[in-house]
Amino acid sequence: MVWQRSRVRLDNDNRAFWTGGADGKLNIARCGDCGGFIHPPREVCRHCLSDKVAPFAVAGTGVIDSYTVNHQAWAKDMPVPFVIARVALDDAPGVYLTTNIVGCPVEDVDIDDRVRVVFEEQDGIWYPLFEKVA
Amino acid sequence: MSEVGVRLARSPLGLTLDAVREAIADAGLTLDQIDGVATYPGKMQAFLGFSPIGADDVIEAFGLTTRWHVGAAETTAQLGAIAEAAAAVKAGLARHVICFRTVYEAAAMARPDEFPPMERRKDVTGNSQWVSPFGAFSAANWTAQFATRHMKRYGLTREQLAQVAINDHANAALNPRAIVKQPLSLDTYMSARMISTPFCLYDCDRFTDCSTVVIVSAGDALDEVRTIPVRIAASAGSVERYSWDQAEWASAYPTGRDLWKNTDYRVDDVDTVQLYDGFSFQPITWLEGLGFCPVGEGGRFLEGGKRIARDGDLPMNTGGGQLGWGRLHGFGFAYEAVVQLRGEGGARQIGGNPRVAVATSGGGPMAAALLLARD
Ligand SMILES: [Zn+2]
């Protein structure tokens, strides 16, 4: 997909998530006290209210919780159709990432398919996309 | 309610004025008796077509003297504004509250110089940063994923989803104010172009221009009202996650359960339901969440469409819903519930002398429900 993705404005909370791909890492905020994951990332743990929250590199594997094949070109240069999916990460309970499933025909995607992260860089942002695990 | 249309020339304040005039005339009130204003979501400068008129505009333009007002997006979906008004009059903060929702999305899209649209390509922040970069710009994309999961888990079919649109179109055709004038066939539905699977064109509501007003009055102020009053018997609302993509369930489920906690009415007492249907899937979550059928059975409840028809066991969206009447953004459901309970539905009026109705709004991560009764 060569379509120009929305550019995310980086801040202290989200920088590790959107730039971790430079090192091949999918960073999800995690609490140093209770071990819970906080997504979207915030400086406070939504589980125990600790403020010892820091980025944590997860494995980048998961399962498709649900998906939709988008046929509507919401922007002029948006190539359609493509798959928008919610991926549940294997090792970050309760976290879902909205993403695209790439590298396969849209009709090959289904709920419960196993996937792993691949990064697409545009202008300093590493967008985490997912492809099916063969 | 004002004129309902697509790309209306009348200004959003003018539509609001029309709706307020009609509502106070219907109630037998005058503007100097109005002492409260409630609206959802308040004026949104960043996207004026979505909510061009705030509580402050109504207070200022109509010369109201209010003791209480609110206009906020951070409430339990659209009908949360009406629930807040009910709480305010119960607490003695106001006696007669104008509750309104003015939408101007169709006209605004046609006149971007006057009503600047949100720039989709700009830097994204807040919750949109987690979905927009992946092309998931629309609530259609987000809601569709919940529908896909329902299909996989419970066997929901497109033919069942179609019944929401078919029922809405049939009812809208009898509603002189609806933007849709023609019935919809299953064949037309099934062959329509896809927006975001499983949603086709007919599963998504259409931008509309309209203002809808509901007046909430205190129980001890009814001697000032000259119309058939409808009582708010209960209300409920909840938020699952503000970040949609983290929500596991639609808020219709906890909201539906909560609605029955502070009332002696039960599901069996309900004569008609007006269920938020910005997308055809949402009434399924409401039917399940409110307890009209078990979780997972919403699709089968709709099967064939007879149960939800005007002469069915549970007439649904009798005014045409958002797929037929237009995207009135939640307030149309409360309005239609009142119309039906008063027996003022004309050609679309249901039989059986309805006494109890449920109106809902939202159905993604934010939801609100009202139980309305005519004593
Ligand atoms: Zn914690």
Side-chain angles (χ1 to χ4, degrees):
Chain A
M1 221 180 288
V2 292
W3 158 61
Q4 175 63 53
R5 296 175 184 274
S6 300
R7 191 184 152 78
V8 175
R9 188 183 299 166
L10 296 178
D11 58 35
N12 285 338
D13 288 333
N14 70 13
R15 185 171 286 104
F17 181 88
W18 290 115
T19 63
D23 303 317
K25 286 181 178 168
L26 180 61
N27 291 320
I28 306 293
R30 192 179 70 148
C31 175
D33 279 329
C34 75
F37 287 89
I38 303 107
H39 190 79
R42 300 269 192 275
E43 62 184 299
V44 173
C45 172
R46 59 183 281 113
H47 310 290
C48 76
L49 304 188
S50 165
D51 51 11
K52 276 191 221 153
V53 173
F56 178 86
V58 297
T61 59
V63 62
I64 295 178
D65 175 73
S66 193
Y67 72 97
T68 179
V69 181
N70 178 63
H71 290 264
Q72 178 77 22
W74 305 108
K76 281 196 187 82
D77 57 350
M78 181 185 268
V80 290
F82 61 91
V83 176
I84 298 166
R86 257 160 77 96
V87 167
L89 298 172
D90 285 336
D91 50 355
V95 174
Y96 300 97
L97 298 186
T98 294
T99 184
N100 301 126
I101 306 300
V102 296
C104 71
V106 296
E107 54 273 16
D108 286 2
V109 169
D110 202 358
I111 288 174
D112 292 338
D113 284 352
R114 297 208 51 77
V115 291
R116 72 169 161 243
V117 72
V118 291
F119 292 99
E120 181 180 301
E121 192 260 338
Q122 281 186 10
D123 200 17
I125 305 289
W126 276 260
Y127 297 93
L129 314 180
F130 285 77
E131 61 184 18
K132 288 183 63 166
V133 176
Chain B
M1 180 177 287
S2 71
E3 180 185 357
V4 183
V6 175
R7 294 186 292 277
L8 295 181
R10 187 123 171 84
S11 76
L13 185 65
L15 291 174
T16 310
L17 175 63
D18 294 345
V20 168
R21 273 189 188 132
E22 184 183 280
I24 61 167
D26 173 76
L29 293 168
T30 55
L31 276 180
D32 58 10
Q33 290 172 282
I34 300 297
D35 56 2
V37 173
T39 188
Y40 171 94
K43 188 159 49 185
M44 298 188 85
Q45 298 281 10
F47 190 22
L48 272 175
F50 181 70
S51 190
I53 303 295
D56 60 334
D57 292 311
V58 167
I59 292 165
E60 172 69 17
F62 302 165
L64 302 180
T65 305
T66 57
R67 295 184 290 144
W68 176 87
H69 71 269
V70 69
E74 290 162 330
T75 184
T76 54
Q78 299 88 347
L79 295 181
I82 293 176
E84 287 164 28
V89 298
K90 192 155 189 179
L93 302 177
R95 285 171 71 76
H96 301 286
V97 179
I98 288 175
C99 306
F100 76 94
R101 175 86 182 96
T102 300
V103 288
Y104 208 60
E105 290 169 288
M109 281 185 75
R111 284 144 53 195
D113 292 346
E114 205 180 333
F115 299 91
M118 269 193 289
E119 177 55 69
R120 287 190 165 136
R121 186 59 59 76
K122 264 176 23 185
D123 286 11
V124 285
T125 58
N127 288 331
S128 68
Q129 72 178 289
W130 308 108
V131 290
S132 296
F134 307 99
F137 286 121
S138 168
N141 300 130
W142 316 333
T143 309
Q145 294 178 78
F146 288 96
T148 306
R149 196 165 61 169
H150 207 287
M151 288 177 140
K152 178 85 173 180
R153 271 193 195 166
Y154 304 118
L156 172 68
T157 66
R158 283 196 67 214
E159 287 79 1
Q160 291 165 350
L161 275 181
Q163 296 306 326
V164 177
I166 291 169
N167 182 65
D168 275 2
H169 280 241
N171 292 338
L174 299 176
N175 179 355
R177 274 176 160 147
I179 61 171
V180 163
K181 304 293 181 196
Q182 299 294 329
L184 174 70
S185 73
L186 183 60
D187 284 348
T188 303
Y189 173 94
M190 293 302 285
S191 58
R193 73 180 173 88
M194 272 292 160
I195 301 296
S196 189
T197 60
F199 295 156
C200 70
L201 194 62
Y202 293 107
D203 293 302
C204 309
D205 63 6
R206 287 168 58 197
F207 284 163
T208 306
D209 310 315
C210 177
S211 182
T212 309
V213 168
V214 171
I215 296 179
V216 173
S217 295
D220 61 8
L222 285 184
D223 56 342
E224 300 166 29
V225 171
R226 289 194 304 277
T227 188
I228 302 168
V230 167
R231 184 163 52 89
I232 299 176
S235 76
S238 65
V239 176
E240 221 268 12
R241 292 289 297 270
Y242 280 100
S243 38
W244 271 56
D245 58 340
Q246 301 305 301
E248 302 218 26
W249 286 91
S251 284
Y253 294 91
T255 301
R257 279 194 299 275
D258 285 352
L259 186 65
W260 307 107
K261 284 186 178 164
N262 296 314
T263 176
D264 293 329
Y265 288 109
R266 291 293 167 253
V267 165
D268 287 347
D269 299 321
V270 175
D271 299 307
T272 178
V273 289
Q274 311 296 332
L275 304 181
Y276 190 85
D277 59 355
F279 301 102
S280 59
F281 175 66
Q282 287 158 329
I284 291 171
T285 66
W286 280 114
L287 288 167
E288 296 178 1
L290 288 161
F292 289 101
C293 63
V295 174
E297 292 295 318
R300 281 177 283 278
F301 189 94
L302 296 173
E303 185 90 46
K306 286 206 160 43
R307 203 174 268 142
I308 56 169
R310 283 187 311 282
D311 58 353
D313 294 340
L314 190 67
M316 183 175 105
N317 297 359
T318 48
Q322 299 210 159
L323 303 178
W325 197 336
R327 179 182 156 81
L328 314 184
H329 210 229
F331 267 56
F333 299 101
Y335 183 96
E336 176 66 9
V338 170
V339 166
Q340 290 291 336
L341 293 179
R342 287 182 180 168
E344 295 170 349
R348 68 180 193 275
Q349 177 65 42
I350 62 172
N353 197 18
R355 282 291 182 267
V356 180
V358 174
T360 71
S361 66
M366 299 164 72
L370 299 173
L371 181 63
L372 302 172
R374 178 178 168 186
D375 294 317

